[in-house]
Amino acid sequence: MRQNIVAGNWKLNTTLQEGVKLATELNEILASKTINCGVVVGVPSTHITEVVKAVDAGKIGVAAQNCADQESGAYTGEISAAMVKSTGAGHVILGHSERREYYGETNATLKVKTDLALANGLTPIFCIGEVLEEREAEKQNEVVKSQIEEALFHLSADEFAKIVIAYEPVWAIGTGKVASPEQAQEIHAYIRSVIADKYSAEVADNTSILYGGSCKPGNAKELFANPDVDGGLIGGASLKAEDFYGIIAAF
Ligand code: PEP
């Protein structure tokens, strides 16, 4: 059975001290609560080791927001999947639209990153989603299909079973515009059908598909109520422990 997951993406925010404070606050809130979903925080790579120490690993997993497309060597400034794993992170966010747009990441690059993440025991939270013009042209299904096909469908069924998908319509990220529950359900069901066609209904049923894009405590419940929406990838609202908890509490 697939897991419901609420994952935060802190992006390029917080100093180390601020990040440890935020993680500690979240940990304190969750300590006294019953949590009905997996919780992950995607933090800057400089923070991972300290955030791992600050949280209860039984309740909060830690993710990197990227990893290199090379194993090791002369790649100044890069952080490999093995390095990420050695910090104590269990997940890595891959293919976020900001990385695709600002750092030129392609499905081909992401294929390599996914392989390296899996080879190093990390769970990829793999982001897909269309831009506004593609949605307006009703091309969202073909966009997400090709993103999955080109970056992930070389994986065996056993490997694919380790992937978490995050559907993030680019027009909804950080814009305050959220996909309607109907729009989210429709495309999540489509994504699941694409996975079922490639692998099997069982693999598709077991894949967690998260929604991302201006998800907040006020709209999380109606989004997560959909049968094919298995949680969220949360940007802005993950930067305040109370807001992030408000989304976690939607399950
Ligand atoms: C994101 O960046 O993954 C995201 C969903 O951002 P926000 O929640 O701020 O729209």
Side-chain angles (χ1 to χ4, degrees), residues 152-158 160 194-201 203-204:
L152 300 178
F153 275 2
H154 64 292
L155 298 174
S156 69
D158 284 351
F160 190 88
V194 170
I195 298 167
D197 286 347
K198 166 70 183 173
Y199 295 103
S200 66
V203 170

Side-chain angles (χ1 to χ4, degrees), residues 7-11 93 96-98 127 166-177 211-216 232-239 247:
N9 176 12
W10 294 3
K11 310 191 187 190
I93 299 170
H96 192 280
S97 62
E98 289 151 15
C127 305
Y167 167 67
E168 300 207 298
V170 180
W171 47 270
I173 296 179
T175 60
K177 271 190 218 162
Y211 167 80
S214 299
C215 185
K216 305 265 180 297
L233 180 57
I234 316 300
S238 70
L239 290 170
I247 296 172

Side-chain angles (χ1 to χ4, degrees), residues 26-33 35 39 59-60 245 248:
L26 180 66
N27 195 56
E28 278 167 10
I29 294 172
L30 297 194
S32 59
K33 312 278 197 230
I35 309 301
V39 176
K59 282 197 169 167
I60 304 176
Y245 172 66
I248 295 165

Side-chain angles (χ1 to χ4, degrees), residues 179-198:
S180 69
E182 295 74 24
Q183 283 174 320
Q185 170 55 25
E186 189 179 42
I187 194 157
H188 280 229
Y190 173 72
I191 294 164
R192 203 177 300 286
S193 76
V194 170
I195 298 167
D197 286 347
K198 166 70 183 173

Side-chain angles (χ1 to χ4, degrees), residues 3-200:
Q3 195 193 11
N4 292 322
I5 300 166
V6 174
N9 176 12
W10 294 3
K11 310 191 187 190
L12 187 61
N13 292 298
T14 72
T15 61
L16 175 60
Q17 292 72 24
E18 289 163 350
V20 169
K21 185 165 172 272
L22 174 56
T24 305
E25 281 167 12
L26 180 66
N27 195 56
E28 278 167 10
I29 294 172
L30 297 194
S32 59
K33 312 278 197 230
T34 305
I35 309 301
N36 299 313
C37 63
V39 176
V40 177
V41 286
V43 308
S45 294
T46 44
H47 302 14
I48 298 173
T49 311
E50 292 302 316
V51 169
V52 166
K53 283 190 220 157
V55 299
D56 172 357
K59 282 197 169 167
I60 304 176
V62 183
Q65 300 172 18
N66 181 30
C67 69
D69 61 350
Q70 302 288 338
E71 248 172 84
S72 62
Y75 300 98
T76 302
E78 288 296 291
I79 297 172
S80 73
M83 292 172 190
V84 168
K85 181 69 181 177
S86 73
T87 61
H91 294 69
V92 58
I93 299 170
L94 291 178
H96 192 280
S97 62
E98 289 151 15
R99 296 224 46 99
R100 292 177 189 259
E101 183 181 351
Y102 306 138
Y103 301 96
E105 292 195 2
T106 62
N107 293 329
T109 324
L110 293 167
K111 180 178 180 184
V112 176
K113 291 190 179 199
T114 300
D115 287 343
L116 287 167
L118 289 174
N120 284 283
L122 293 167
T123 299
I125 300 176
F126 193 89
C127 305
I128 57 175
E130 79 286 354
V131 298
L132 184 60
E133 301 77 64
E134 291 163 338
R135 169 65 65 165
E136 283 172 349
E138 298 185 4
K139 291 209 162 108
Q140 64 272 15
N141 285 7
E142 65 186 83
V143 171
V144 296
K145 186 173 190 221
S146 67
Q147 288 170 331
I148 299 177
E149 273 176 352
E150 290 172 26
L152 300 178
F153 275 2
H154 64 292
L155 298 174
S156 69
D158 284 351
E159 288 166 334
F160 190 88
K162 296 176 183 140
I163 305 282
V164 172
I165 300 283
Y167 167 67
E168 300 207 298
V170 180
W171 47 270
I173 296 179
T175 60
K177 271 190 218 162
V178 64
S180 69
E182 295 74 24
Q183 283 174 320
Q185 170 55 25
E186 189 179 42
I187 194 157
H188 280 229
Y190 173 72
I191 294 164
R192 203 177 300 286
S193 76
V194 170
I195 298 167
D197 286 347
K198 166 70 183 173
Y199 295 103
S200 66

